[in-house]
Amino acid sequence: MSNLKRNPSEKESKLSKVLNVISGSFAPIIGVLAGAGLLKALLSVMNMLGWVSPESGVYVVLSAAGDAVFHFLPVFLGISIALKLGANGYVGGVIGASLLTPEIMHLVEGGVKTIDFLGLPVLLADYSSTVFPIFIAMFVYAGLDKILKKVIYKDIQMFINPMISLFILVPLTMLVFGPIGTLLGEGLGSLINFLSNQSGLLAGAVLGGTWTFLTILGLHWTVIPLAIANLAGGPDPIIAMAAAAPFAQVGIGIAVLLKTKDKDLKALAASGIVPGALAGTTEAINYGIILRYRRTMVYVVIAAAIGGAINGSLGVVMNDFVLPSVLSIPAFSPIGQYLIGIGVAFALGFLLTYLLGYEGIPAKINDNYNHIIVGVKPETISSPLRGKVVPLTAINDPLFSTETVGKGIAIDPEVGKVFSPVNGVITTQFPTRHAVGVTSDDGAEILVFIGLDTIKLNGKYYKSHVKQGDKVKKGDLLIEFEMDQIKAAGYETNTLVIITNTAEYLDVKATNNQTVGYKDDLLKLTI
């Protein structure tokens, strides 16, 4: 019975790790995927306008630039997945490349279905643009690599380990992982396509309405491979339906920008609108507005669900992989119907927010909430924890490692206690208690974020000692958390200390010390 009780947490931990690998593997290449998709969309527009023909040298060269990352996707994913799993990225890349060598591609294009490998039939297929086969292969390779590092003499591991890995993994990938991965991808893609064909309206409403929260939780990375797999065999309806969500988010951001009188919120909204509209990256709006003002959560669900339902019911598809944005509109067809869907989502997100208002901080949270900041001053932020200093670039979350939320530092804590790093006021108190926002008397907006993906714990193992609106002094206890329990549940406890209004400072410089204690200088803010 005791074993049965442990299984759910073990499964949850493994699922969390798999999701982290998926998101961490796509994060390094998602920019070039989107950029290449935009280039292909631009070529389509140029061809449609008669500026270039498919037979011209300009079209051939630019088409090669746009197609390369998709054709060799198993190579790029082999590298990034292997690195994410702690294995040799170049070996991972070679395993992916082995599926696309000229000899193999020549046989596939010539109609050869199988070849013999030690008496076993190898099913040949075009693995360009595929995702699932290389994911399966890399998980197995990472396990094999760990074994080899333990049993192979260290001085010869540099060449023996790659040789053994390639000798085992390349045949296995072609014999087993490739066909299984292809069937898995085709099966999941066919299921979504089937649902779309049965009721595009319902499928679009569900996908559009939930996409914002899938993105916030990082679960959208499990859907993106399905879209890429669909594109290998034709157009994709998934991103076309989900596209309503980022446009609804941008609409909400513009409404908040026009409606708010808070200059900090206005700056936050403005900083999220431009990348959201032009590049489809709406993290600033999602984390800075939608999660903060809960009423907007309802608006984004309504607007995106209706826009997604329109796109789904009208049969809108994506022809090249792009992140939904204004610039990527030509990648979708029929464009007219697509414009209707995203236009409705944008308009509803804007109108609902502008006319009905967003949920701000109540005027009277408590008697102490009279903290007004005019501008910012230079200051030094103290460490809220005791532990080892970790640079943000080492954090397994692209939102923080790329400083999208703001500049700062991370701490690998020794003790599960967070103290106030400044004199100020609690301006954000997350209901899950895994994070807290403090605004200092000198204007710094500090986010202390305990653990990665720990929002999924829904407050378990966390105890808050403050509430929103409380005035605090440097060294006041804010949050206690059970480090061992959080780690046992499969989550990291690295704690992020982020200056969310980084743009108001000339520089945010982190300490050079490798370890810090409570109240030690952690971040120096200059203006």
Side-chain angles (χ1 to χ4, degrees), residues 5-293:
K5 290 180 180 178
R6 283 197 298 267
N7 282 341
S9 63
E10 289 173 359
K11 289 180 180 178
E12 180 180 6
S13 173
K14 291 177 181 178
L15 176 61
S16 176
K17 290 178 181 179
V18 170
L19 293 177
N20 284 336
V21 170
I22 293 174
S23 62
S25 301
F26 269 98
I29 62 173
I30 196 68
V32 70
L33 284 172
L38 283 174
L39 178 58
K40 294 178 70 176
L42 176 62
L43 270 179
S44 297
V45 173
M46 294 170 66
N47 180 42
M48 183 175 61
L49 296 175
W51 295 352
V52 295
S53 69
E55 293 77 25
S56 68
V58 172
Y59 188 95
V60 170
V61 171
L62 294 181
S63 181
D67 288 334
V69 67
F70 298 99
H71 181 82
F72 295 105
L73 189 59
V75 179
F76 294 105
L77 282 177
I79 295 170
S80 62
I81 299 168
L83 290 174
K84 181 67 177 177
L85 292 172
N88 188 319
Y90 296 103
V91 173
V94 171
I95 293 171
S98 68
L99 303 173
L100 305 170
T101 58
E103 294 85 354
I104 297 295
M105 295 303 296
H106 179 72
L107 291 173
V108 172
E109 292 168 359
V112 178
K113 300 296 183 183
T114 61
I115 57 174
D116 179 83
F117 178 80
L118 300 177
L120 298 174
V122 176
L123 298 177
L124 297 180
D126 184 356
Y127 290 110
S128 60
S129 302
T130 58
V131 172
F132 293 98
I134 197 65
F135 263 104
I136 299 173
M138 288 304 99
F139 273 101
V140 176
Y141 164 56
L144 174 63
D145 186 61
K146 290 179 181 178
I147 295 173
L148 293 176
K149 287 178 179 177
K150 292 179 180 179
V151 301
I152 300 297
Y153 184 60
K154 188 175 181 179
D155 289 347
I156 61 173
Q157 283 186 13
M158 183 179 71
F159 55 91
I160 292 295
N161 287 17
M163 183 196 74
I164 295 175
S165 298
L166 293 174
F167 183 82
I168 295 174
L169 265 300
V170 171
L172 272 179
T173 301
M174 293 189 181
L175 282 165
V176 182
F177 307 145
I180 291 176
T182 300
L183 289 174
L184 177 62
E186 290 177 352
L188 292 174
S190 297
L191 177 60
I192 293 178
N193 291 334
F194 173 77
L195 294 175
S196 301
N197 293 332
Q198 294 300 308
S199 177
L201 187 145
L202 178 60
V206 171
L207 194 56
T210 59
W211 190 256
T212 297
F213 304 100
L214 290 176
T215 302
I216 289 172
L217 294 173
L219 296 176
H220 65 304
W221 294 105
T222 63
V223 181
I224 287 176
L226 298 179
I228 295 175
N230 280 341
L231 288 172
D236 164 66
I238 298 174
I239 302 301
M241 293 183 284
F247 282 94
Q249 294 157 15
V250 171
I252 290 172
I254 293 176
V256 170
L257 173 67
L258 297 178
K259 196 173 182 67
T260 185
K261 295 181 181 179
D262 185 320
K263 67 174 185 178
D264 293 329
L265 182 56
K266 192 179 288 289
L268 173 65
S271 67
I273 291 167
V274 175
L278 299 183
T281 53
T282 55
E283 283 86 352
I285 296 174
N286 285 339
Y287 289 91
I289 296 176
I290 292 175
L291 276 184
R292 184 178 177 186
Y293 303 108

Side-chain angles (χ1 to χ4, degrees), residues 200 297 379 386 392 401:
M297 293 184 184
E379 66 176 308
R386 186 173 79 234
L392 286 187
S401 63

Side-chain angles (χ1 to χ4, degrees), residues 156-488:
I156 61 173
Q157 283 186 13
M158 183 179 71
F159 55 91
I160 292 295
N161 287 17
M163 183 196 74
I164 295 175
S165 298
L166 293 174
F167 183 82
I168 295 174
L169 265 300
V170 171
L172 272 179
T173 301
M174 293 189 181
L175 282 165
V176 182
F177 307 145
I180 291 176
T182 300
L183 289 174
L184 177 62
E186 290 177 352
L188 292 174
S190 297
L191 177 60
I192 293 178
N193 291 334
F194 173 77
L195 294 175
S196 301
N197 293 332
Q198 294 300 308
S199 177
L201 187 145
L202 178 60
V206 171
L207 194 56
T210 59
W211 190 256
T212 297
F213 304 100
L214 290 176
T215 302
I216 289 172
L217 294 173
L219 296 176
H220 65 304
W221 294 105
T222 63
V223 181
I224 287 176
L226 298 179
I228 295 175
N230 280 341
L231 288 172
D236 164 66
I238 298 174
I239 302 301
M241 293 183 284
F247 282 94
Q249 294 157 15
V250 171
I252 290 172
I254 293 176
V256 170
L257 173 67
L258 297 178
K259 196 173 182 67
T260 185
K261 295 181 181 179
D262 185 320
K263 67 174 185 178
D264 293 329
L265 182 56
K266 192 179 288 289
L268 173 65
S271 67
I273 291 167
V274 175
L278 299 183
T281 53
T282 55
E283 283 86 352
I285 296 174
N286 285 339
Y287 289 91
I289 296 176
I290 292 175
L291 276 184
R292 184 178 177 186
Y293 303 108
R294 286 171 290 179
R295 191 181 298 176
T296 61
M297 293 184 184
V298 179
Y299 301 158
V300 77
V301 169
I302 294 173
I306 293 176
I310 292 173
N311 283 347
S313 62
L314 295 179
V316 178
V317 295
M318 177 177 69
N319 298 306
D320 300 302
F321 180 80
V322 291
L323 295 178
S325 68
V326 173
L327 296 179
S328 67
I329 288 175
F332 296 85
S333 64
I335 288 182
Q337 285 86 328
Y338 178 65
L339 288 173
I340 294 173
I342 61 174
V344 168
F346 170 81
L348 283 175
F350 174 82
L351 291 173
L352 288 171
T353 307
Y354 192 82
L355 297 177
L356 302 180
Y358 57 92
E359 186 179 61
I361 299 173
K364 293 183 179 179
I365 295 175
N366 61 38
D367 293 337
N368 289 328
Y369 196 75
N370 55 6
H371 194 78
I372 300 175
I373 297 296
V374 180
V376 295
K377 299 177 182 178
E379 66 176 308
T380 299
I381 308 300
S382 298
S383 175
L385 305 100
R386 186 173 79 234
K388 180 182 178 182
V389 175
V390 180
L392 286 187
T393 52
I395 297 300
N396 294 323
D397 188 320
L399 185 66
F400 292 109
S401 63
T402 58
E403 298 183 344
T404 300
V405 179
K407 292 185 177 181
I409 199 72
I411 300 172
D412 185 4
E414 295 179 1
V415 181
K417 291 184 178 181
V418 174
F419 297 89
S420 178
V422 293
N423 297 329
V425 65
I426 303 298
T427 46
T428 306
Q429 178 60 62
F430 286 68
T432 50
R433 300 184 292 279
H434 74 294
V436 63
V438 187
T439 298
S440 76
D441 289 339
D442 289 329
E445 297 176 7
I446 307 145
L447 173 67
V448 182
F449 198 96
I450 307 166
L452 300 179
D453 290 330
T454 47
I455 189 174
K456 299 173 185 177
L457 291 172
N458 199 29
K460 192 176 182 181
Y461 310 130
Y462 291 90
K463 180 180 179 181
S464 179
H465 292 270
V466 291
K467 59 183 180 295
Q468 191 165 289
D470 284 354
K471 295 186 72 172
V472 293
K473 294 182 179 180
K474 184 188 296 185
D476 286 352
L477 181 61
L478 304 182
I479 298 174
E480 290 183 277
F481 57 100
E482 300 178 51
M483 293 173 51
D484 293 339
Q485 297 292 340
I486 294 171
K487 290 180 179 179

